[in-house]
Amino acid sequence: MTIKDTPEEWEVRGTATPFTGNKTSVRTDDVVMPDGTVVHRDYQVHPGSVAVLALDDADRVLVLRQYRHPVRHRLWEIPAGLLDVPGENPLRAAQRELYEEAHVKAEDWRVLTDVYTTPGGCDEAVRIFLARGLTEAEGERFEVEDEEADMELARVPAEELVRGVLAGELHNNCLVVGVLSLVAARAGDGLDALRPAQAPWPARPFDA
């Protein structure tokens, strides 16, 4: 048996959107179950996101500390952001986020992994990139606001982040998945064997 996720879509008899926010919305679908019954399924409709595990020459990961109101925590995270434009190229979005949040650019980009963050209640898909060959970006720093205005920036050894993840001290989804994927890739075929930065992404098809 091949262990691989496969696309599938059950019949939807009706749909409604009881809430529409600035970036996301909530949808209610009437979904037909295998036995013919119809049930309501509420979920958040999300444009998708990108995240960047930026690794420097000293094997340190660029991380940001930011307040997240829904969980009432200040979390250590890797740079990330929304795919604001339908069909937006995820690599260009990731490069933009790395510049805006850390004022850094990278020479080598690879796809580290693709994930659905909470598939039981949200359709958000995230592509996590590995970025290497880091240098400071030129020009003015991007002007941040709201929670981002209070962000802290640090470079932390990858092994320290792995320890924090396994100790239950670090909880951000993209950071956890990113650093553990980094370890797995190194233990496997190596970082240079990762998918190219423009690899297809069926969850969020994009323009090249």
Side-chain angles (χ1 to χ4, degrees):
M1 181 176 63
T2 301
I3 304 298
K4 181 179 179 180
D5 295 337
T6 56
E8 186 171 337
E9 187 170 355
W10 292 3
E11 180 184 356
V12 175
R13 292 275 175 86
T15 188
T17 305
F19 171 79
T20 300
N22 185 33
K23 297 292 185 182
T24 67
S25 60
V26 173
R27 181 177 297 164
T28 299
D29 287 344
D30 299 330
V31 185
V32 180
M33 296 289 105
D35 64 359
T37 60
V38 178
V39 301
H40 300 301
R41 289 292 177 261
D42 303 320
Y43 59 99
Q44 183 184 22
V45 178
H46 194 285
S49 306
V50 291
V52 185
L53 193 144
L55 188 68
D56 70 14
D57 292 339
D59 206 43
R60 298 175 302 175
V61 177
L62 194 155
V63 290
L64 309 163
R65 191 168 181 248
Q66 183 173 349
Y67 176 68
R68 293 300 187 182
H69 184 71
V71 295
R72 308 304 199 271
H73 270 71
R74 192 183 292 269
L75 300 177
W76 285 104
E77 308 179 352
I78 57 177
L82 297 175
L83 292 167
D84 295 312
V85 181
E88 183 176 15
N89 186 292
L91 173 59
R92 287 198 284 271
Q95 292 170 332
R96 180 189 68 231
E97 292 299 331
L98 186 60
Y99 166 76
E100 291 181 357
E101 294 192 350
H103 202 63
V104 166
K105 61 182 181 179
E107 291 299 321
D108 186 277
W109 290 82
R110 314 250 173 182
V111 175
L112 190 54
T113 190
D114 300 322
V115 295
Y116 291 114
T117 55
T118 49
C122 179
D123 71 350
E124 181 183 13
V126 180
R127 169 156 281 189
I128 303 176
F129 290 91
L130 172 67
R132 295 179 292 174
L134 307 185
T135 56
E136 291 296 317
E138 300 174 353
E140 296 291 326
R141 295 189 69 93
F142 182 77
E143 186 173 344
V144 296
E145 59 185 8
D146 301 327
E147 290 92 344
E148 292 184 350
D150 192 43
M151 286 194 309
E152 300 174 46
L153 177 65
R155 296 192 183 202
V156 180
E159 62 181 14
E160 184 176 334
L161 294 177
V162 172
R163 184 207 60 78
V165 168
L166 299 179
E169 299 168 354
L170 299 171
H171 307 89
N172 174 263
N173 183 287
C174 290
L175 184 149
V176 170
V177 173
V179 297
L180 297 185
S181 294
L182 176 71
V183 172
R186 281 175 164 167
D189 294 331
L191 301 185
D192 290 337
L194 290 168
R195 285 174 292 161
Q198 297 279 21
W201 189 17
R204 292 293 186 274
F206 58 89
D207 301 321

